[in-house]
Amino acid sequence: MAGAGRARAETRREIAEFLGLGSVQVAELDLGGEDAGGADGAGDAVLRPGPGSPPVASGAVFLLVRRAGRPVGTLVGRVPEGADPTRVLAGLARQLPRGEPPESPTESPTAAPSAPPSVPPSVPPSATVVVATRERAGPLARALDSLLAQDHPDFDVVVVDNAPLTGETRDLVLRKYGERVRYVCEPVPGLAVAHNRGLALARGEVAAFTDDDVVADPRWLTELTAPFTADPRLGCTTGLILPARLGTPAQVLLESHGGFAKGFTPRTYDPEHPPADEPLFPFTAGRFGSGANMAFRTAVLRTVGGFDPATGAGTRARGGDDLYGFVRVLAQGRRLRYTPSALVWHHHRETWRDLETQAFGYGAGLTAYLTAVLVNRPALLPALLVRLPGGLAHARGLTAVRETGGGGAPGAHDERTHPWPRRLSRLQRRGMLYGPVGYLRARRALRTVAREAR
């Protein structure tokens, strides 16, 4: 009882500290022809507020830095009262390394290097964008507006309304978007079920997936799909996810610890040449990317059976559908490429309760997807057992209380300006213990639905 009391007191203290986190503005700055300099110190830099944000003012700013349109890093700077935000932030941005990010040492020699966004490496393949949603018409409209503004030459959009309670989503799509967006209702709850429904309807050579709480950069789809033309063995691509807003303590804390971003260095993961710095490959699938920004060669994803319907939000497994998809594609001998030039802005969860739910769900999704992989591909069991000791160490690291510091150079993104609460670490560990049970319960629930549908 004394231990439980101490834990409650610690949680109250952590919440009090958490509530003291101040908001941070979000903006992006393109240095353009920065080498030309400029009398005011800003040169040719162009500063824009983040999606839906007001113009940049004095105070703390989370800044995405671009060079000639390409994302190259992030930093957190402070604009003094009365100072010119463009000049101040351009000075900080020039501290980032110049030039294109280097390819990873594990980059496959046959994969084509990225080209500047103004000169695509090739015409991107046709694509279908799948957006699964449930009773979130407001955010969905914002996401669809950004998707329909893409510069990709040949794509369509499918909205999958997952187990809706009202007709709000259907009315929005039909009223505002008409023939520009296809609508389909999927009555069985679960993100993977919804994604599989969208996959079945995909017309494009590539099926791209994003969430209803993002704003896609205008070149997102072109950058995410172009690598498929350059590399015939490519099965999947993922992209960069940055915060659309940092207005609440929950959003600031999550982004302080890296958020969903995977850095600014393009990288190709090849199962024929496992990365030396990833001893748990391919089971640490969370390093590859996230479901809010991913694309698959449509035929390949269909061949492996799509996503496991017993995984994902909306099921008892709580998550893991995207990780399952990544591993299944890699297990087929296909490559996966992370391309940071494919950018979406994500609206993070807003409250402490949201973070608690998210922490437990991430832990559950991690072990649920591993259970799904072994249930569906038992031949992978020996490979997983070999990596089990390292996997346990990796799990301990994921759920450790992360203190401040450790961000590295400016723009490393994971600045850790605030400690990660022990309460959230404990919830993530509990989620990991629950994940296999949740997955098995989700499979049983699906069998019940299938019997009732007969």
Side-chain angles (χ1 to χ4, degrees):
M1 294 296 292
R6 283 195 298 270
R8 286 194 294 271
E10 181 181 62
T11 298
R12 286 194 295 270
R13 177 185 58 78
E14 289 179 332
I15 293 176
E17 292 178 357
F18 161 83
L19 292 174
L21 299 181
S23 63
V24 178
Q25 302 171 86
V26 175
E28 56 179 315
L29 183 139
D30 197 324
L31 291 170
E34 60 165 326
D35 292 334
D40 64 353
D44 294 330
V46 177
L47 178 66
R48 291 182 293 270
S53 297
V56 179
S58 60
V61 182
F62 176 94
L63 186 71
L64 166 67
V65 180
R66 299 180 188 256
R67 298 185 192 274
R70 179 175 294 279
V72 297
T74 59
L75 58 85
V76 177
R78 180 166 290 278
V79 177
E81 189 74 35
D84 177 12
T86 302
R87 182 175 182 178
V88 171
L89 295 173
L92 295 173
R94 290 191 180 99
Q95 299 175 25
L96 294 176
R98 294 177 179 271
E100 289 294 310
E103 296 291 344
S104 163
T106 60
E107 183 71 27
S108 167
T110 61
S114 298
S118 58
V119 186
S122 56
V123 176
S126 62
T128 294
V129 182
V130 177
V131 184
T133 187
R134 188 172 191 265
E135 306 301 335
R136 290 164 55 89
L140 175 64
R142 182 179 58 208
L144 291 177
D145 288 343
S146 72
L147 292 175
L148 293 174
Q150 295 295 299
D151 68 358
H152 192 286
D154 183 12
F155 74 100
D156 68 313
V157 179
V158 176
V159 168
V160 183
D161 196 2
N162 189 214
L165 299 174
T166 71
E168 187 177 12
T169 298
R170 180 180 182 276
D171 292 345
L172 167 74
V173 173
L174 297 182
R175 180 186 71 252
K176 184 176 181 180
Y177 300 102
E179 296 181 356
R180 295 182 297 167
V181 174
R182 286 188 285 159
Y183 170 90
V184 62
C185 177
E186 171 50 64
V188 178
L191 186 57
V193 174
H195 280 168
N196 284 340
R197 184 68 179 274
L199 175 65
L201 296 173
R203 299 169 179 164
E205 181 183 342
V206 172
F209 298 86
T210 191
D211 292 346
D212 60 10
D213 55 2
V214 309
V215 174
D217 189 72
R219 287 195 56 82
W220 166 69
L221 189 59
T222 295
E223 296 288 346
L224 191 66
T225 58
F228 288 98
T229 301
D231 183 357
R233 275 193 56 216
L234 195 64
C236 177
T237 58
T238 61
L240 178 64
I241 303 174
L242 292 181
R245 291 183 65 251
L246 294 173
T248 72
Q251 293 171 334
V252 173
L253 178 63
L254 180 62
E255 200 60 36
S256 166
H257 286 261
F260 299 99
K262 307 301 177 186
F264 292 86
T265 302
R267 183 166 189 177
T268 297
Y269 295 90
D270 189 341
E272 293 187 0
H273 305 281
D277 61 340
E278 293 279 354
L280 303 180
F281 179 85
F283 298 108
T284 48
R287 296 182 185 269
F288 307 151
S290 299
N293 192 350
M294 63 183 182
F296 296 82
R297 203 178 292 275
T298 304
V300 170
L301 188 55
R302 286 173 175 167
T303 297
V304 301
F307 302 95
D308 188 319
T311 59
T315 71
R316 289 177 171 87
R318 307 289 291 270
D321 55 308
D322 50 352
L323 309 183
Y324 174 86
F326 299 155
V327 172
R328 287 300 303 271
V329 167
L330 287 165
Q332 291 292 315
R334 295 284 184 161
R335 297 188 182 109
L336 181 152
R337 181 170 177 83
Y338 171 69
T339 175
S341 54
L343 166 66
V344 299
W345 301 88
H346 181 262
H347 285 263
H348 294 349
R349 309 285 182 90
E350 296 188 353
T351 69
W352 172 265
R353 182 64 65 186
D354 289 337
L355 286 182
E356 289 186 325
T357 301
Q358 196 169 36
F360 184 87
Y362 282 169
L366 175 63
T367 51
Y369 107 82
L370 290 173
T371 306
V373 168
L374 295 180
V375 168
N376 293 289
R377 287 290 300 275
L380 292 176
L381 178 60
L384 180 61
L385 291 176
V386 167
R387 294 164 175 79
L388 186 59
L392 294 175
H394 175 68
R396 284 194 296 271
L398 283 177
T399 60
V401 176
R402 303 188 291 274
E403 301 297 339
T404 59
H413 192 75
D414 185 1
E415 298 293 345
R416 298 189 185 179
T417 50
H418 312 287
W420 189 252
R422 295 178 185 276
R423 165 69 175 169
L424 300 182
S425 294
R426 288 195 296 269
L427 284 170
Q428 193 168 5
R429 287 194 294 269
R430 291 178 193 172
M432 288 181 177
L433 294 173
Y434 166 81
V437 176
Y439 173 74
L440 295 176
R441 288 177 176 173
R443 283 176 63 92
R444 186 163 58 246
L446 283 172
R447 287 195 296 267
T448 300
V449 169
R451 282 196 303 270
E452 292 175 350
R454 293 193 190 112

PDB file of all heavy atoms in Angstrom, residues 342-357:
ATOM      1  N   ALA A 342       9.198  13.341 -47.802  1.00  0.00           N
ATOM      2  CA  ALA A 342       7.743  13.113 -47.813  1.00  0.00           C
ATOM      3  C   ALA A 342       7.200  13.485 -46.440  1.00  0.00           C
ATOM      4  O   ALA A 342       7.287  12.717 -45.490  1.00  0.00           O
ATOM      5  CB  ALA A 342       7.433  11.659 -48.143  1.00  0.00           C
ATOM      6  N   LEU A 343       6.641  14.674 -46.317  1.00  0.00           N
ATOM      7  CA  LEU A 343       6.319  15.271 -45.026  1.00  0.00           C
ATOM      8  C   LEU A 343       4.817  15.412 -44.808  1.00  0.00           C
ATOM      9  O   LEU A 343       4.089  15.867 -45.695  1.00  0.00           O
ATOM     10  CB  LEU A 343       6.966  16.664 -44.952  1.00  0.00           C
ATOM     11  CG  LEU A 343       6.489  17.605 -43.843  1.00  0.00           C
ATOM     12  CD1 LEU A 343       6.880  17.071 -42.466  1.00  0.00           C
ATOM     13  CD2 LEU A 343       7.064  19.007 -44.055  1.00  0.00           C
ATOM     14  N   VAL A 344       4.372  15.016 -43.617  1.00  0.00           N
ATOM     15  CA  VAL A 344       3.035  15.384 -43.148  1.00  0.00           C
ATOM     16  C   VAL A 344       3.164  16.038 -41.782  1.00  0.00           C
ATOM     17  O   VAL A 344       4.059  15.716 -40.998  1.00  0.00           O
ATOM     18  CB  VAL A 344       2.066  14.177 -43.070  1.00  0.00           C
ATOM     19  CG1 VAL A 344       1.867  13.531 -44.436  1.00  0.00           C
ATOM     20  CG2 VAL A 344       2.531  13.154 -42.043  1.00  0.00           C
ATOM     21  N   TRP A 345       2.250  16.970 -41.509  1.00  0.00           N
ATOM     22  CA  TRP A 345       2.170  17.645 -40.216  1.00  0.00           C
ATOM     23  C   TRP A 345       1.046  16.978 -39.423  1.00  0.00           C
ATOM     24  O   TRP A 345      -0.084  16.908 -39.885  1.00  0.00           O
ATOM     25  CB  TRP A 345       1.866  19.124 -40.400  1.00  0.00           C
ATOM     26  CG  TRP A 345       2.870  19.872 -41.218  1.00  0.00           C
ATOM     27  CD1 TRP A 345       2.870  20.007 -42.574  1.00  0.00           C
ATOM     28  CD2 TRP A 345       4.000  20.606 -40.738  1.00  0.00           C
ATOM     29  NE1 TRP A 345       3.931  20.787 -42.973  1.00  0.00           N
ATOM     30  CE2 TRP A 345       4.645  21.158 -41.865  1.00  0.00           C
ATOM     31  CE3 TRP A 345       4.525  20.849 -39.461  1.00  0.00           C
ATOM     32  CZ2 TRP A 345       5.790  21.950 -41.755  1.00  0.00           C
ATOM     33  CZ3 TRP A 345       5.668  21.625 -39.358  1.00  0.00           C
ATOM     34  CH2 TRP A 345       6.288  22.175 -40.484  1.00  0.00           C
ATOM     35  N   HIS A 346       1.373  16.515 -38.227  1.00  0.00           N
ATOM     36  CA  HIS A 346       0.444  15.707 -37.439  1.00  0.00           C
ATOM     37  C   HIS A 346      -0.079  16.489 -36.239  1.00  0.00           C
ATOM     38  O   HIS A 346       0.679  17.156 -35.530  1.00  0.00           O
ATOM     39  CB  HIS A 346       1.164  14.444 -36.952  1.00  0.00           C
ATOM     40  CG  HIS A 346       0.311  13.514 -36.157  1.00  0.00           C
ATOM     41  ND1 HIS A 346       0.306  13.494 -34.779  1.00  0.00           N
ATOM     42  CD2 HIS A 346      -0.586  12.572 -36.548  1.00  0.00           C
ATOM     43  CE1 HIS A 346      -0.534  12.575 -34.356  1.00  0.00           C
ATOM     44  NE2 HIS A 346      -1.090  12.009 -35.395  1.00  0.00           N
ATOM     45  N   HIS A 347      -1.381  16.418 -36.004  1.00  0.00           N
ATOM     46  CA  HIS A 347      -1.978  17.032 -34.823  1.00  0.00           C
ATOM     47  C   HIS A 347      -1.903  16.034 -33.669  1.00  0.00           C
ATOM     48  O   HIS A 347      -2.686  15.074 -33.599  1.00  0.00           O
ATOM     49  CB  HIS A 347      -3.421  17.445 -35.110  1.00  0.00           C
ATOM     50  CG  HIS A 347      -3.516  18.668 -35.959  1.00  0.00           C
ATOM     51  ND1 HIS A 347      -3.708  19.930 -35.451  1.00  0.00           N
ATOM     52  CD2 HIS A 347      -3.407  18.829 -37.302  1.00  0.00           C
ATOM     53  CE1 HIS A 347      -3.714  20.813 -36.425  1.00  0.00           C
ATOM     54  NE2 HIS A 347      -3.543  20.171 -37.565  1.00  0.00           N
ATOM     55  N   HIS A 348      -0.944  16.242 -32.777  1.00  0.00           N
ATOM     56  CA  HIS A 348      -0.730  15.335 -31.654  1.00  0.00           C
ATOM     57  C   HIS A 348      -1.901  15.381 -30.673  1.00  0.00           C
ATOM     58  O   HIS A 348      -2.695  16.330 -30.646  1.00  0.00           O
ATOM     59  CB  HIS A 348       0.544  15.725 -30.893  1.00  0.00           C
ATOM     60  CG  HIS A 348       1.810  15.550 -31.674  1.00  0.00           C
ATOM     61  ND1 HIS A 348       1.876  14.879 -32.876  1.00  0.00           N
ATOM     62  CD2 HIS A 348       3.088  15.966 -31.417  1.00  0.00           C
ATOM     63  CE1 HIS A 348       3.130  14.884 -33.325  1.00  0.00           C
ATOM     64  NE2 HIS A 348       3.869  15.538 -32.454  1.00  0.00           N
ATOM     65  N   ARG A 349      -1.950  14.346 -29.809  1.00  0.00           N
ATOM     66  CA  ARG A 349      -2.944  14.315 -28.740  1.00  0.00           C
ATOM     67  C   ARG A 349      -2.757  15.528 -27.828  1.00  0.00           C
ATOM     68  O   ARG A 349      -1.644  16.036 -27.689  1.00  0.00           O
ATOM     69  CB  ARG A 349      -2.802  13.036 -27.928  1.00  0.00           C
ATOM     70  CG  ARG A 349      -2.759  11.746 -28.747  1.00  0.00           C
ATOM     71  CD  ARG A 349      -4.116  11.363 -29.271  1.00  0.00           C
ATOM     72  NE  ARG A 349      -4.030  10.102 -30.003  1.00  0.00           N
ATOM     73  CZ  ARG A 349      -4.194   8.906 -29.451  1.00  0.00           C
ATOM     74  NH1 ARG A 349      -4.418   8.794 -28.155  1.00  0.00           N
ATOM     75  NH2 ARG A 349      -4.128   7.812 -30.193  1.00  0.00           N
ATOM     76  N   GLU A 350      -3.829  15.937 -27.135  1.00  0.00           N
ATOM     77  CA  GLU A 350      -3.797  17.244 -26.478  1.00  0.00           C
ATOM     78  C   GLU A 350      -3.763  17.211 -24.953  1.00  0.00           C
ATOM     79  O   GLU A 350      -3.449  18.220 -24.331  1.00  0.00           O
ATOM     80  CB  GLU A 350      -5.000  18.076 -26.925  1.00  0.00           C
ATOM     81  CG  GLU A 350      -4.973  18.397 -28.415  1.00  0.00           C
ATOM     82  CD  GLU A 350      -6.066  19.373 -28.808  1.00  0.00           C
ATOM     83  OE1 GLU A 350      -6.922  19.700 -27.939  1.00  0.00           O
ATOM     84  OE2 GLU A 350      -6.067  19.805 -29.965  1.00  0.00           O
ATOM     85  N   THR A 351      -4.070  16.081 -24.306  1.00  0.00           N
ATOM     86  CA  THR A 351      -4.205  16.079 -22.847  1.00  0.00           C
ATOM     87  C   THR A 351      -3.338  15.000 -22.205  1.00  0.00           C
ATOM     88  O   THR A 351      -2.839  14.078 -22.871  1.00  0.00           O
ATOM     89  CB  THR A 351      -5.673  15.835 -22.432  1.00  0.00           C
ATOM     90  OG1 THR A 351      -6.031  14.476 -22.765  1.00  0.00           O
ATOM     91  CG2 THR A 351      -6.612  16.801 -23.151  1.00  0.00           C
ATOM     92  N   TRP A 352      -3.180  15.116 -20.878  1.00  0.00           N
ATOM     93  CA  TRP A 352      -2.458  14.098 -20.113  1.00  0.00           C
ATOM     94  C   TRP A 352      -3.136  12.739 -20.254  1.00  0.00           C
ATOM     95  O   TRP A 352      -2.470  11.720 -20.447  1.00  0.00           O
ATOM     96  CB  TRP A 352      -2.382  14.503 -18.646  1.00  0.00           C
ATOM     97  CG  TRP A 352      -1.820  13.431 -17.754  1.00  0.00           C
ATOM     98  CD1 TRP A 352      -2.521  12.505 -17.033  1.00  0.00           C
ATOM     99  CD2 TRP A 352      -0.432  13.168 -17.502  1.00  0.00           C
ATOM    100  NE1 TRP A 352      -1.662  11.670 -16.340  1.00  0.00           N
ATOM    101  CE2 TRP A 352      -0.374  12.058 -16.614  1.00  0.00           C
ATOM    102  CE3 TRP A 352       0.755  13.753 -17.931  1.00  0.00           C
ATOM    103  CZ2 TRP A 352       0.821  11.540 -16.142  1.00  0.00           C
ATOM    104  CZ3 TRP A 352       1.957  13.233 -17.470  1.00  0.00           C
ATOM    105  CH2 TRP A 352       1.992  12.141 -16.595  1.00  0.00           C
ATOM    106  N   ARG A 353      -4.459  12.721 -20.205  1.00  0.00           N
ATOM    107  CA  ARG A 353      -5.190  11.467 -20.363  1.00  0.00           C
ATOM    108  C   ARG A 353      -4.921  10.861 -21.729  1.00  0.00           C
ATOM    109  O   ARG A 353      -4.782   9.649 -21.862  1.00  0.00           O
ATOM    110  CB  ARG A 353      -6.685  11.707 -20.163  1.00  0.00           C
ATOM    111  CG  ARG A 353      -7.540  10.457 -20.270  1.00  0.00           C
ATOM    112  CD  ARG A 353      -7.223   9.464 -19.168  1.00  0.00           C
ATOM    113  NE  ARG A 353      -7.555   9.976 -17.863  1.00  0.00           N
ATOM    114  CZ  ARG A 353      -7.282   9.359 -16.722  1.00  0.00           C
ATOM    115  NH1 ARG A 353      -6.625   8.208 -16.743  1.00  0.00           N
ATOM    116  NH2 ARG A 353      -7.624   9.890 -15.556  1.00  0.00           N
ATOM    117  N   ASP A 354      -4.829  11.701 -22.742  1.00  0.00           N
ATOM    118  CA  ASP A 354      -4.482  11.218 -24.083  1.00  0.00           C
ATOM    119  C   ASP A 354      -3.118  10.535 -24.077  1.00  0.00           C
ATOM    120  O   ASP A 354      -2.924   9.485 -24.703  1.00  0.00           O
ATOM    121  CB  ASP A 354      -4.451  12.373 -25.087  1.00  0.00           C
ATOM    122  CG  ASP A 354      -5.827  12.919 -25.408  1.00  0.00           C
ATOM    123  OD1 ASP A 354      -6.819  12.192 -25.226  1.00  0.00           O
ATOM    124  OD2 ASP A 354      -5.901  14.075 -25.863  1.00  0.00           O
ATOM    125  N   LEU A 355      -2.144  11.146 -23.387  1.00  0.00           N
ATOM    126  CA  LEU A 355      -0.802  10.561 -23.335  1.00  0.00           C
ATOM    127  C   LEU A 355      -0.816   9.218 -22.611  1.00  0.00           C
ATOM    128  O   LEU A 355      -0.097   8.282 -22.998  1.00  0.00           O
ATOM    129  CB  LEU A 355       0.170  11.512 -22.642  1.00  0.00           C
ATOM    130  CG  LEU A 355       0.619  12.741 -23.434  1.00  0.00           C
ATOM    131  CD1 LEU A 355       1.628  13.548 -22.605  1.00  0.00           C
ATOM    132  CD2 LEU A 355       1.239  12.351 -24.771  1.00  0.00           C
ATOM    133  N   GLU A 356      -1.608   9.110 -21.548  1.00  0.00           N
ATOM    134  CA  GLU A 356      -1.709   7.830 -20.842  1.00  0.00           C
ATOM    135  C   GLU A 356      -2.267   6.749 -21.777  1.00  0.00           C
ATOM    136  O   GLU A 356      -1.736   5.628 -21.836  1.00  0.00           O
ATOM    137  CB  GLU A 356      -2.598   7.978 -19.613  1.00  0.00           C
ATOM    138  CG  GLU A 356      -1.980   8.796 -18.499  1.00  0.00           C
ATOM    139  CD  GLU A 356      -2.828   8.793 -17.248  1.00  0.00           C
ATOM    140  OE1 GLU A 356      -4.071   8.787 -17.366  1.00  0.00           O
ATOM    141  OE2 GLU A 356      -2.259   8.791 -16.131  1.00  0.00           O
ATOM    142  N   THR A 357      -3.331   7.089 -22.485  1.00  0.00           N
ATOM    143  CA  THR A 357      -3.918   6.137 -23.433  1.00  0.00           C
ATOM    144  C   THR A 357      -2.920   5.767 -24.520  1.00  0.00           C
ATOM    145  O   THR A 357      -2.795   4.596 -24.911  1.00  0.00           O
ATOM    146  CB  THR A 357      -5.181   6.739 -24.066  1.00  0.00           C
ATOM    147  OG1 THR A 357      -6.119   7.054 -23.032  1.00  0.00           O
ATOM    148  CG2 THR A 357      -5.824   5.775 -25.042  1.00  0.00           C
TER     149      THR A 357
END
